[in-house]
Amino acid sequence: MMISRPAAMFLAVLFVLLAAPFAHAQVRVDLGVNRPLYIRFEPLIVTVTVTNLSGRELELADDGNHKWLSFQIEYVERNAVRIVPPYNSDYQLTPVQIGPGQSIKRMINMTPIYPMTEFGLYRIRATIYAREFGQYFSSNPPMNIEISEGRTLWQQEVGVPTEATGGSTTRTLTLLAHRLPKNTQLYLRIEDKENGVVYCTHQLGRLLAFGEPDVEFDADNNVHILHYIAPKSFMYTSVGLDGRVLDRKQYDTVKAKPSLRRDPAGMVQVVGGFVVDPNAVATSQAAAPPASVSDRPVPLPTPED
């Protein structure tokens, strides 16, 4: 039976329309984040979940210029929407196998990958390329993230010890208060302003309205911070100039509140109070520990990179 050219074109279009929903049902992509509000340079961890609904095993692998995992980020300006490209689009991903009906999860820190440093609203989608189908599958709807800045509580510029290498000879340390929907959090940022490198923006924990954070430097200019997280509880954090967390403990008050003390040799220690067992805190209904500080994030590229 002969089919006319218009009829053939109609059948071809109909086949595509019927096949499209089926194809898009092969792989499901979900994107999640802990909260919608972040400050600049804070680690922005997203969770990508990929579910294989194809009924057979899939291999997710790069195929030429097609990366099996990528993101589409839009910066929403007042009168326009602008695409945010990554710092470096030339990257490689390890292939993964997903069995039928199975899911995989990947947690990615977006901060060192994309320049999401302007204040305002960003829309993020995660996209998976499945070469078996020659198609992209994206999370939907897009996830909205707002980038803002905290309120500066304290700032100090210090020198880098002579034995340390790389970067300039100074670091700027800033304590920031950032109000989230449920509480206010204290942040520490360490940066090399001369070269445009941010070594960390650590979330140190809940910040109460009363009592200023206690800050001290040791002989190597590592910073030590002690601040209220509850009426009788304090969080102590020590961070190096490279952004690495050196120590972190919770202290509770006995009679007098704990404080930082620097001895003649330049050593800093917490005086007063007692260290709380973190396992006991986790199981206690009365205690509410703050969010733990993240590991040192990858330094951001300099503006010239």
Side-chain angles (χ1 to χ4, degrees), residues 241-272:
L241 293 181
D242 60 355
R244 183 166 51 95
V245 177
L246 304 177
D247 197 5
R248 183 167 168 83
K249 294 185 179 71
Q250 180 175 329
Y251 285 80
D252 278 3
T253 301
V254 181
K255 293 183 179 179
K257 73 181 187 71
S259 61
L260 297 179
R261 180 178 298 174
R262 173 176 165 140
D263 64 22
M267 299 289 291
V268 175
Q269 60 181 345
V270 179
V271 178

Side-chain angles (χ1 to χ4, degrees), residues 57-74:
E57 186 173 50
L58 291 180
E59 181 186 47
L60 299 180
D62 295 346
D63 186 11
N65 293 327
H66 302 287
K67 306 299 183 183
W68 73 259
L69 172 59
S70 60
F71 295 90
Q72 289 74 52
I73 300 182
E74 298 174 332

